[in-house]
Amino acid sequence: MSWIEIAILIVSGVLVGFINTLAGGGTVISFSVFMFGVGLPADIANGTNRIAVAIQNIVSVVSFRKQKILDFRKAITLAIPAVIGSVLGAKIAVDINEEAIRISIGIVMLIMLFFILYNPEKWLKGQPDILEKKISIKLWILFFIIGIYGGYVHVGVGYFLLSAIVLGAGYDVVKGNAIKSFIVLAYTPASLLVFMLEGKVNYQYGLVHSIGNVIGAYYASKYAVTWGAGFVRWVIVTVIIIFASDLLGIIDLKMLIGEFVK
């Protein structure tokens, strides 16, 4: 591994860790760097990425926990179906039509963007009436489905989790981010194990990339509370627009990042 590759992996990791902790979608950068920057095949890039995701979320969860904004009990309840789903998603990853998934996710992202902009109060202040209710079977099933997708490719899963936590469980976006980080931390090792058993992980690249992820995750989890829900909401809006544009073919983010890191 050259010093240029090390620098690319660490610098991109900082950006990915920051974006993933505040919102989600940063994994598309990881994929681009692994595939176009250092030349990993797509399946190995998918597995290798899980190392950094797991480590960055350890940092995020610890930080959110210290700031006392993580509802640990509900986080565990919502994480259980996601973990189960992630194992299934990792096992069936090779059987899913990638192009169809990209288009459908792009459309969903735009729908989510509408709700974020249309009724921001739900994202900024949460919904106490929903928050006080017990986790329903429907919500449990929703997190199972999200877990399947997270196990499959992980890209953009933060948006689905955050939307379900905010709109379905009633948390504001800052507390929702804390629970999101916990859920991702819970299911990532399970899906990573599947890729490890299949020999689809490059440990060297994954661990170096994790260095940057940890730095980005630490500062994102710290400033998410300092800057407040309004700032986090606009980060989410910005990243959704970019990510959805890539998924719908308006821009080619992987190519742009690939050209940048060459």
Side-chain angles (χ1 to χ4, degrees):
M1 183 185 298
S2 68
W3 284 107
I4 294 178
E5 288 178 325
I6 292 173
I8 289 172
L9 288 169
I10 293 177
V11 172
S12 63
V14 172
L15 183 60
V16 171
F18 192 88
I19 293 174
N20 277 347
T21 301
L22 278 187
T27 303
V28 71
I29 298 174
S30 296
F31 266 86
S32 301
V33 170
F34 284 141
M35 292 173 63
F36 301 107
V38 297
L40 293 181
D43 55 347
I44 296 180
N46 193 4
T48 301
N49 175 67
R50 316 277 170 152
I51 296 176
V53 170
I55 294 176
Q56 82 179 33
N57 280 285
I58 292 175
V59 177
S60 301
V61 168
V62 170
S63 179
F64 282 129
R65 183 68 171 170
K66 285 182 177 180
Q67 296 174 82
K68 298 181 179 180
I69 60 172
L70 173 61
D71 187 338
F72 196 67
R73 181 176 296 180
K74 276 197 175 180
I76 292 177
T77 304
L78 295 173
I80 292 173
V83 172
I84 298 171
S86 72
V87 175
L88 178 60
K91 288 184 176 181
I92 64 176
V94 294
D95 298 324
I96 298 180
N97 185 308
E98 182 178 354
E99 185 60 27
I101 290 293
R102 285 175 60 87
I103 294 174
S104 61
I105 294 172
I107 294 172
V108 171
M109 292 293 174
L110 294 178
I111 294 173
M112 289 165 55
L113 181 62
F114 169 78
F115 283 109
I116 292 173
L117 294 174
Y118 176 73
N119 197 346
E121 290 300 312
K122 289 184 178 181
W123 289 79
L124 299 179
K125 297 182 179 179
Q127 303 172 78
D129 55 326
I130 298 178
L131 190 60
E132 294 174 358
K133 295 180 180 179
K134 293 182 178 180
I135 301 299
S136 66
I137 296 297
K138 290 182 179 179
L139 194 59
W140 206 86
I141 293 173
L142 176 60
F143 277 85
F144 171 72
I145 294 172
I146 295 174
I148 293 176
Y149 174 72
Y152 164 62
V153 72
H154 188 79
V155 178
V157 70
Y159 298 124
F160 297 117
L161 285 172
L162 198 54
S163 294
I165 294 166
V166 172
L167 302 178
Y171 290 89
D172 66 56
V173 71
V174 173
K175 292 181 179 178
N177 257 314
I179 294 179
K180 180 203 73 178
S181 295
F182 180 87
I183 293 173
V184 174
L185 174 59
Y187 83 66
T188 299
S191 60
L192 173 59
L193 180 60
V194 175
F195 285 94
M196 290 171 62
L197 293 175
E198 294 295 325
K200 302 294 185 181
V201 178
N202 185 305
Y203 299 97
Q204 187 179 32
Y205 285 142
L207 290 171
V208 172
H209 191 56
S210 299
I211 296 172
N213 276 252
V214 166
I215 297 171
Y218 171 77
Y219 283 103
S221 58
K222 180 179 179 180
Y223 290 116
V225 179
T226 304
W227 293 337
F231 170 78
V232 176
R233 172 172 165 262
W234 283 110
V235 171
I236 295 171
V237 168
T238 301
V239 179
I240 282 181
I241 292 173
I242 296 172
F243 188 43
S245 297
D246 173 74
L247 290 168
L248 296 174
I250 299 173
I251 62 174
D252 191 335
L253 194 56
K254 288 183 179 180
M255 184 185 72
L256 292 174
I257 297 173
E259 289 296 324
F260 176 76
V261 299
K262 283 182 179 179

